[in-house]
Amino acid sequence: MRTADLSVVMANRNHARLLPRALDAVLSQSLPPREVIVLDDASTDDSLKVLERYAARHPSVRLVKNECHRGVTASYNHGFALATGRYVLPGAADDYVLPGFVAKAVREFERHPQAGVCVAHGSCTDGDDGPLVVNDPGWCDQPTYFAPDDVCRRVWHTLPVSAIVVRADAVRAAGGYRSELAWYSDWFAFLVVAFRHGAVHIPETLGVHVLHRGSYATNSRPGAENVRILGALLDLLVSPEYADVSPYFRRNGAACHFGPDLLRAAALRADRREANVLGLLAGFAPEVYESLAASDEDPAVRELAAVFLQDPWREVIARRADLEAENRRLVEEIQLTRLRAAPPGVMGKVQWAGGMIRRRLRTAVGLHPAGRFR
């Protein structure tokens, strides 16, 4: 049976209940992966029993047991080092991919070998049984390659990690998951790859991120630890190692997605007034700077925020805010146009009519037609 030149790398800690869903999703792909490397990070539940059963039944499943709890980033980096495939699908034990994802991703890499990553919609559910929320970024109507400059213009802060395949050599060259970035490590790695090599977007839902308490990403919250980690991010973005991609991070404003703690981290730096640092902080809405300049308890933060209320930074921020608002408006128009277009066939039209009724009900109670709160 033909397999993809692709390795699934999945880290797990205490997700015994969810592992079958995640593993079945990759093992049942129409074009199955060459290998599925599962790194168990010293789980204390029944994860090992589940994984040993899968490894016994499926020769492609390789179980790696951490002798002690090493953490998420160390586990994934070990998996990236072990992977033999040309491409890597970094799977999470509590998320899952949908049928056809591997075949479609590999096909797009074959069409666009220069691409570093291939992503689909960042769709999600709230809990295991919540309704699917389709997050269509509006990039394209058919699979399309975007060069680094185009990725920088289009991406809104992040790439969807639940529906992503990355070139193995590119993610290793990016440094893998940087341990000092903790829960931001995958965000950084994939944007570095996309800003270096470009990305292919497949405009459909091919992976599902399950939102629930206790996931690694939910560890991110404002406070001293978050400030420390964002300080490490700034260190990397002003370092020679990432000098080729730091201009994209400045133009895109992606790091500002992590909130005012980014500016608090910058306020601790001796080089906080340097242009290469200020450029990384210029992605907030004007009211964020106004609030910090007026009321933050740290005088260094107040002073730094006040810089962005003066020209030329005030003009830069206002222009960026206008462009982002216009981009969001255009994307929503594209999404609504697609939703209103009746597909061919009787059943397609019936399903379309039902969807229109549901969307009108959602709008009536204050929901965005695609399922997000306004």
Side-chain angles (χ1 to χ4, degrees), residues 7 97 117 154 184 300 305:
S7 302
V97 297
V117 297
R154 285 172 170 81
Y184 301 136

Side-chain angles (χ1 to χ4, degrees), residues 29 96 111 114 126 136 141 153 156 166-167 172 181 193 226 245 250 277-278 296 314 316 329 350 369 374:
Q29 291 285 307
Y96 57 98
R111 291 175 177 171
Q114 73 274 36
D126 188 359
D136 176 359
D141 291 315
R153 282 193 290 268
W156 285 357
V166 62
R167 261 185 21 222
R172 292 185 189 117
L181 298 185
V193 172
N226 200 47
V245 295
R250 293 188 190 96
V277 175
L278 292 175
D296 195 90
R314 178 173 59 183
V316 169
R329 185 189 66 78
V350 169
R374 294 182 187 279

Side-chain angles (χ1 to χ4, degrees), residues 180-181 226-237 265 269:
E180 63 266 46
L181 298 185
N226 200 47
V227 170
R228 185 191 66 77
I229 292 168
L230 291 173
L233 171 63
L234 293 172
D235 287 342
L236 292 174
L237 288 174
R269 303 177 63 89

Side-chain angles (χ1 to χ4, degrees), residues 72 182-184 212-223 225-226 229:
V72 173
W183 40 80
Y184 301 136
H212 63 86
R213 294 178 183 177
S215 66
Y216 186 58
T218 61
N219 289 327
S220 169
R221 59 179 60 87
E225 180 66 3
N226 200 47
I229 292 168

Side-chain angles (χ1 to χ4, degrees), residues 263 281-294 305-306 308-310 313-322:
L263 201 142
L281 310 175
F284 294 109
E287 55 267 24
V288 174
Y289 302 106
E290 292 167 1
S291 174
L292 290 171
F308 295 94
L309 301 177
Q310 305 165 19
W313 291 108
R314 178 173 59 183
E315 181 182 349
V316 169
I317 290 161
R319 185 165 65 247
R320 174 176 278 170
D322 289 344

Side-chain angles (χ1 to χ4, degrees), residues 113-124:
Q114 73 274 36
V117 297
C118 179
V119 297
H121 290 345
S123 302
C124 62

Side-chain angles (χ1 to χ4, degrees), residues 223-224 227 261 264 267 291-303 305:
V227 170
D261 276 351
R264 295 188 179 102
S291 174
L292 290 171
S295 60
D296 195 90
E297 61 184 20
D298 186 340
V301 173
R302 296 198 300 270
E303 178 186 349

